[in-house]
Amino acid sequence: MGSDFNYGRANQWFKNMDKLIHYVNADGRVNVLYSTPEAYVDAKHGYNHTWSVKRDDFFPYSDSSHAYWTGYFSSRPTSKRYIRQATSFLQAARQLELTVGGKSSGGPTTDGLEAAVSLTQHHDSITGTEKQHVANDYHERLSAGLVEAQTVVVGAVSQLLGGEPLLSNAASADGSTLRFCNYANATICEPSVRLSREGRSIRVVVYNPVAWTVRAPLRVAVSTHTSCEWIVQGPNNETLPSQTVSVDATTRRLQHLLHETNASSEAAGDAEVAWVADLQPLGLATFTMLPASVGRAERDVVSGAGPRRRRDEVLDNGILRLVFDAEAGSLKGIGIDGAEPIQLTTSLAWYNSSDGLDVPEGKDRGQAGGAYIFRPGSKTFLPRHRRDVELRIVKGEVVQEAHQRFGDWATLVTRLYQGQAHFEVEWTVGPIPVSDGLGKEVVLEYRSSTIRSGRTFHTDSNGRHMMHRERDHRPGWRLNVTEPVAGNYYPVTAAATIQDREHSLAVLVDRAQGAASLASGRLEFMLHRRLLADDGRGVAEALNETACGDANREAPHACGGLVARGVHRVLVQREGSGEGPAHAAAVRRTAQALVNDPPLVMAGPVQLFEPPPAAPPAPTPLALSLSGGATLPPDVQLLTFAELAGRGIVRVAHLHEAGEGGDAATPATFDLAPLLRSIKFSEVTEVSLTANSEVGARPRLRFNSEEDGAVKGVGRPPTLCKDSSLVHPPCRGGRLNITLKPFEVRTFELRLDSRSAAAV
């Protein structure tokens, strides 16, 4: 029924299908019916067949020798990031909404954002293979949903920290309120920049949506017009190490572009105040930023702005030591815990995207690269003289940075925070120049001669299972290599890794990207694409995104190309620095969870959470945890904590898969009760993964496989606990003990007693 781009008249389709079914069945030889997934599975089960097991996947797919569908892994990178951010925000907002009983109040809810995020999971949205005006519509829906969900979060925070009257009083008296910084990665934040320009103190409220204690670096945009130095106080009024970091030229150009295209009317800062915060599980914490006189706060120290130096530049936080060649301007190695450095470099390059006209007759002439297809030509490194990378070093008490300028439109910032066992690589690409008539596909390459990974590497499968990949090889058939680059690209939604017996390199992404290992010790990621031809797969537009969102209109070059900015989190492990591969996998999976669910950061005037003069002298809490400080085990992740159709839904997952080795890949038993302390409920029932039926509601089918015989059912009672006092088995003694096997996901439904929040 239907087809891609064609299913638009449901009544006409069903009328014709009804006729087809009627006349086929009238013949009597075949029985045709409208089916369901359940009916289909039941029919397959009825075959009583022994099924083969397929453990690889179907990537990369091609429909001809030179048409690999690997371009869409990276198409529309800013859209992919926007969807990822909205998804993460939705999960955090749902947690707070459930805690304060928001959906029963009749006010703003997270429903609009949920609908927008659901819509953008369409296969032409998350892949970036839609037309430009459709992409614009997706983004408008996400924006509207985020605005409403942000209102939900601000209201919940106010209720939990200071009570709604305090927030409304502050808003009416001050003309301001708690707000999010939607352009924080461009150092744009209306409340913090405006308050800092006026020389006023700033209240920063942070929510940690992860059920673990987290040590997270925070950065807030400011203006140094009134004060160049800032002091940061924690929830207990303790002074925290902080650092004022000036924005670089690339960020200033990005701010100017956003202003010129009316993408942002918010205030742009000329610096960021950075500090590292300890956040409780499911915890709220408030920080106060105070203007300071010169010398009372930490200011960054900049080097590298003058003539080239022959000595190395080093970023060192006591755990990692990043060594840069000051003369060439490039990263050259990384040391771990004082050991000898592992050779590692980063570089930027671009592939010339084929327009289909440079191929001789008879060899798929006319196949161009496009939103779907990646068909690269030559590879050009930036800059052309690779030792001409400009290097600028920033050092301070909180963070050290190496700014590398590969050209006017391509930069990297490598960041190393105090106390962190990983480093960040922030990439900024665009506007990609196309005045030479060449479409360009920009990649970031990590290269290590120390790591002898051979032909293999690993990429995640939808953020969970790590898939074994082998260059120029397919597990199920003999591959005829016609596209040695595009035919070795795979989708990465969470991480890609290379390793040998002694070392491993893992790169965690903040959005879906295409990646490949085209030689031993190398990983490359496609960051951004700007193309001038269509690939003939249905979009009928070139993937030529501009900052105005008006590609392929009457004047496609009237507005500059779109700028994309993102962050890779890089983990380099040496066997002697931990427990080997098992330790590296555990660290990577925890880091993946933190990348997907970063803290929410809001800013406003200090008066927001201070009681009015006439109020009793009860102190306002400046930090709290929805779980009372209780944390889940490090190998258990909270996936969902939300209200769904009047029910509470809690979903937890084991982070590790069997076979990763070590204690991490063993069953985890923990008490779920502390996680639910802020919710009033009368019953806990285990339900299916999709929360639409109780576990055991129907017998689980058993399928025979060639590997392990019959697949058996779960065999657990669905109702775990009644009465919110949690005194019934298996909740005896107020505990709700849950066991998760490696990679298992379990979902629980709470029958909510009242939509008023329990005490936190």
Side-chain angles (χ1 to χ4, degrees), residues 471-639:
R471 187 169 61 256
D472 294 336
H473 175 77
R474 303 292 186 267
W477 71 95
R478 184 174 181 178
L479 177 66
N480 178 26
V481 180
T482 56
E483 289 288 338
V485 175
N488 284 297
Y489 256 71
Y490 292 87
V492 175
T493 57
T497 68
I498 54 174
Q499 64 186 51
D500 59 20
R501 293 178 180 271
E502 298 180 1
H503 312 92
S504 67
L505 168 68
V507 179
L508 281 56
V509 298
D510 63 354
R511 73 203 72 193
Q513 292 180 331
S517 179
L518 301 178
S520 179
R522 299 185 193 179
L523 269 178
E524 76 173 39
F525 296 80
M526 187 181 293
L527 307 179
H528 198 358
R529 317 177 73 213
R530 190 179 185 191
L531 313 179
L532 302 180
D534 176 60
D535 56 19
R537 295 306 185 274
V539 182
E541 287 181 358
L543 186 64
N544 183 12
E545 294 183 282
T546 70
C548 303
D550 61 351
N552 301 305
R553 299 295 175 86
E554 293 182 1
H557 301 295
C559 187
L562 184 68
V563 177
R565 170 173 280 184
V567 175
H568 286 169
R569 182 174 292 191
V570 184
L571 302 168
V572 179
Q573 299 283 328
R574 182 193 294 270
E575 187 171 358
S577 65
E579 289 77 34
H583 175 73
V587 171
R588 172 180 51 76
R589 289 198 179 275
T590 301
Q592 285 176 207
L594 299 179
V595 168
N596 283 336
D597 295 304
L600 306 188
V601 181
M602 300 149 269
V606 166
Q607 294 82 1
L608 277 176
F609 297 110
E610 292 181 351
T620 299
L622 294 181
L624 60 84
S625 169
L626 305 186
S627 65
T631 180
L632 288 179
D635 49 0
V636 175
Q637 180 183 9
L638 176 65
L639 293 182

Side-chain angles (χ1 to χ4, degrees), residues 348-352 377-386 409 438 440-443:
L348 290 173
W350 58 272
Y351 290 102
N352 172 23
S378 60
K379 185 177 185 179
T380 302
F381 281 89
L382 295 172
R384 287 189 177 275
H385 301 288
R386 295 179 65 182
W409 54 274
L438 301 178
K440 297 177 179 64
E441 317 196 55
V442 184
V443 298

Side-chain angles (χ1 to χ4, degrees), residues 38 644 647 649 651 686-695 697 747-749:
E38 183 178 11
L644 177 65
R647 305 168 295 154
I649 300 296
R651 187 174 288 115
E686 183 168 9
V687 293
S688 63
L689 183 65
T690 52
N692 61 356
S693 63
E694 290 186 358
V695 168
T747 306
F748 303 92
E749 176 184 300

